[in-house]
């Protein structure tokens, strides 16, 4: 399986996911840079994502929704804050209202993705940092750890078909 670990750290207010892939960092980078590829793995298999807006530049934003098995939609957003192709990216990530605007009712994560070359391919480390331990606990209780593990578990098949 792709995912090595998913670790919440209440003291640091973080949720960290580590995954390894048998593809070079440039190929893994494309999974973040191309919204059509991103749609194929961002979100658990039963909650696929649809990116309506995607401006993959520093200062750019993304608006998307995930559709559940019952047809219900959950909206989300990103604000890209740093890009260092193909090594790292950073963005603010959170929930959005029905119009796609960031919600103030739920936590926002400062997210950093690092893509490190390994002898076998790429190690991806993604850290979601929240303002408080309570915010981290809220998203973990909502199923974020399980959801991202399932989401990232789809990447191996996607890289194999590229």
């Amino acid at each position: 399986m792709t995912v090595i670990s998913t670790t919440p750290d209440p003291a640091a207010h973080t949720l960290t996911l580590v995954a390894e892939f048998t593809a070079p960092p440039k190929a893994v980078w494309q999974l973040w840079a191309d919204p059509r590829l991103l749609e194929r793995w961002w979100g658990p298999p039963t909650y696929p994502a649809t990116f309506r807006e995607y401006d993959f530049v520093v200062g750019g934003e993304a608006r998307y929704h995930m559709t559940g098995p019952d047809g219900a939609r959950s909206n989300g957003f990103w604000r890209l804050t740093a890009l260092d192709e193909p090594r790292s990216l950073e963005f603010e990530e959170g929930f959005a209202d029905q119009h796609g605007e960031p919600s103030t009712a739920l936590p926002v994560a400062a997210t950093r993705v690092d893509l490190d070359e390994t002898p076998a391919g790429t190690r991806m480390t993604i850290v979601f940092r929240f303002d408080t331990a309570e915010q981290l606990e809220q998203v973990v209780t909502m199923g974020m750890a399980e959801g991202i593990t399932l989401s990232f578990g789809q990447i191996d098949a996607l890289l194999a078909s590229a």
Side-chain angles (χ1 to χ4, degrees), residues 129-151:
R129 182 174 312 281
F130 298 91
D131 289 337
T132 67
E134 292 77 21
Q135 289 179 345
L136 170 63
E137 182 180 341
Q138 182 180 10
V139 298
V140 168
T141 300
M142 292 171 64
M144 184 176 180
E146 295 84 0
I148 63 172
T149 299
L150 290 169
S151 296

Side-chain angles (χ1 to χ4, degrees), residues 19-33:
E20 292 186 346
F21 307 101
T22 57
K26 194 162 191 79
V28 177
W29 177 267
Q30 285 306 307
L31 298 177
W32 291 95

Side-chain angles (χ1 to χ4, degrees), residues 67-151:
T67 306
D70 62 357
R73 288 185 174 182
S74 298
N75 292 298
F77 75 94
W78 292 0
R79 283 189 201 102
L80 292 152
T81 56
L83 296 171
D84 183 15
E85 182 180 352
R87 291 179 282 284
S88 66
L89 63 140
E90 296 179 44
F91 54 95
E92 294 176 343
E93 187 254 336
F95 297 91
D97 65 19
Q98 68 272 18
H99 305 292
E101 294 303 315
S103 171
T104 58
L106 293 167
V108 172
T111 304
R112 180 176 172 92
V113 179
D114 287 298
L115 304 175
D116 297 307
E117 190 167 4
T118 67
T122 303
R123 174 175 272 230
M124 178 167 53
T125 303
I126 181 168
V127 178
F128 300 90
R129 182 174 312 281
F130 298 91
D131 289 337
T132 67
E134 292 77 21
Q135 289 179 345
L136 170 63
E137 182 180 341
Q138 182 180 10
V139 298
V140 168
T141 300
M142 292 171 64
M144 184 176 180
E146 295 84 0
I148 63 172
T149 299
L150 290 169
S151 296

